[in-house]
Amino acid sequence: MGRFTPSNSLVVIGLEDKSLAGTLRTDLGSTLLDPATMAHMATMFTSDGTDAVISVIYHDESFDPAETVDALETAFPRHGLKIADVLEVTGNHIRDYHQPGPGTSLTDGDTLLPADTPERAVDRFLTPPLPSRAAALHLAVAEHGARLGGHRISTAEYLEDWHAAINGSADSAQWLTDNHHHELLARMVRSLYHQELRDALAGSVAIGFDSAQKGLASRDDALEVWGLALTGDTGARPRWDLMDRFARALAVVASATRDGHTSRDSALTLMAWIEWCRGRGSHSGAFLDRVDSEYPLAHVLRRVVDQGHICKWARNPNTAWSRARL
């Protein structure tokens, strides 16, 4: 989905050989129950080669989805479409329509699951681990940044800094109180001033730092590889382990800067990119909504998310991220 959480809607997700083929959203209501309307929706999917669908009904507690489900399960099979799942989302909960009883949870053994909103995810990202230390952290990072002065640091050196942070074992308290980590954090903050490095960093995390370092020998080759990684078009499973740790490192950088700071906007944009790669367009849009500066990647991502484009990694079950990783 794009940059919103649907309400009072039927969302149909098309699958082609178990890969995501496309999505369609329409309002709930009497028009949707018309057999001609359902038949038209079904043909929209079959014309694209879709062979199965997952349907998600977003509704409030007063709405009975039974007629909608009946119309859907009558029309779609007639057009050769298997209905893999019918899910209901009501308020902050999700459940399987056909298995509403206890013990039929989609993930954790409870029928109803609390839903995380995109806005809450952004708020958590921007909340310092120890709020009382936030001002001191801002000052310490600024002082280390001033000492860096006009020192020229190469892309390879910056990537090594991030590699150390992502693979390190430091906890939140160490980042907030340890002088060595303040110095490293200042270099990470400074690295996000540079557009090419920001893009290179994202690509490097996706394909693995070792592969990225080898690619630095040829700038043209490196840019091509990073470009494919930024669009999720590598044809291989990304390093989700590194990308998940990258997200946590970006949150530390965001906590070390203030609203409107270039590095904070860069961290928000890179987090939006991670969420888009995960297939969570609404979350990606929520992060982009907090970006003040016009970083080119943010501009491109806004267009991609607004138009409902889904990352290729998220469309393939062999390369897709799983929410269970959180």
Side-chain angles (χ1 to χ4, degrees), residues 230-262:
L230 281 170
T231 58
D233 198 18
T234 60
R237 182 179 175 82
R239 289 291 306 273
W240 288 122
D241 57 332
L242 291 181
M243 290 180 71
D244 291 343
R245 293 203 294 270
F246 182 37
R248 291 191 284 272
L250 288 170
V252 174
V253 169
S255 71
T257 55
R258 303 180 188 277
D259 286 340
H261 193 287
T262 299

